[in-house]
Amino acid sequence: MSTEHLLRQRVPSLAESTCSLLSETDDESTISTKETTTAATKSKQLERRKSSIVEVANSTFFRKRLSTQSSLPWGHRRSTMIGISCFLFLLPIPCLIKSCCPFAAFMLACVFVSSFSSDYLYSGVESWSHLFDRVLAPIAFLSNIYAVYSLFGIIWAFLSLVAVKCHLMAMYHSKRNNYDEFVIYHSLWHATGAGLILLSFAANKGAGYLISLGD
């Protein structure tokens, strides 16, 4: 077989090998590009999540919620009515304990301490009690709504909207520096919150049930 014939046979095979190598290189390059793009996308998503967390942490609402500053514009003014209304949170605790709702009862006890400290003892001045009260109050409120719902049904749980209305009115008058109106609605916020729990027990288990708790 002549040298020329051998060369003719080898040249196509070399060309095919070269094409195969180039094809493999292109595939590897494509895979590498895709991996790089995926990594870049994940990195951008992570950065967005981090930035959103930072935005939440720096938001006005979040900073106010975790602030030790009082939100009242008139400074340190104690209201006896508000101070007394804080003790109303203690009244539903025996009912909740007897009905196997220990967490709701515990949260009411915690809110009694935090609200008496925040709304009376340190009203209008800087204190850690304001931070604790802002954190504990929503937890206590929701846990007791759930307790009433689980014991007596959704209709009784909806009565909590009355307490929410009083709370919103108290905030409204606080922002407008109406001290007397704020005292009334903030006291009602405490009174309706505790009173509606007692009403739920009295209506569904009888007034005698509440009286027997005191024996």
Side-chain angles (χ1 to χ4, degrees), residues 6-164:
L6 289 172
L7 287 172
R8 286 178 181 176
Q9 287 183 334
R10 289 178 179 177
V11 168
S13 63
L14 287 171
E16 290 175 0
S17 304
T18 303
C19 290
S20 178
L21 287 171
L22 289 172
S23 177
E24 290 176 1
T25 302
D26 291 339
D27 291 341
E28 291 177 357
S29 177
T30 302
I31 292 171
S32 177
T33 302
K34 288 181 179 179
E35 290 177 351
T36 303
T37 303
T38 303
T41 303
K42 289 181 178 179
S43 178
K44 287 181 180 179
Q45 290 176 348
L46 185 61
E47 288 178 0
R48 287 175 184 172
R49 288 176 185 173
K50 287 180 179 179
S51 63
S52 63
I53 293 172
V54 171
E55 287 175 4
V56 170
N58 291 330
S59 66
T60 303
F61 172 80
F62 196 77
R63 281 187 291 176
K64 284 184 177 180
R65 178 62 57 177
L66 298 181
S67 173
T68 58
Q69 297 291 334
S70 172
S71 60
L72 303 179
W74 43 74
H76 187 47
R77 293 182 67 180
R78 288 180 177 174
S79 166
T80 303
M81 184 184 294
I82 291 178
I84 293 173
S85 70
C86 294
F87 285 86
L88 297 176
F89 289 128
L90 298 174
L91 297 180
I93 290 177
C95 301
L96 293 166
I97 292 175
K98 191 173 181 179
S99 299
C100 299
C101 299
F103 182 72
F106 173 73
M107 290 309 304
L108 278 183
C110 291
V111 163
F112 158 67
V113 176
S114 66
S115 65
F116 186 74
S117 299
S118 176
D119 299 337
Y120 182 72
L121 294 179
Y122 300 101
S123 175
V125 297
E126 183 178 0
S127 170
W128 282 96
S129 62
H130 303 312
L131 186 155
F132 292 134
D133 193 48
R134 292 184 188 112
V135 172
L136 293 174
I139 300 173
F141 187 70
L142 293 174
S143 64
N144 278 272
I145 289 177
Y146 179 77
V148 170
Y149 165 73
S150 62
L151 290 170
F152 310 121
I154 189 68
I155 295 176
W156 292 98
F158 268 123
L159 290 178
S160 61
L161 294 176
V162 177
V164 173

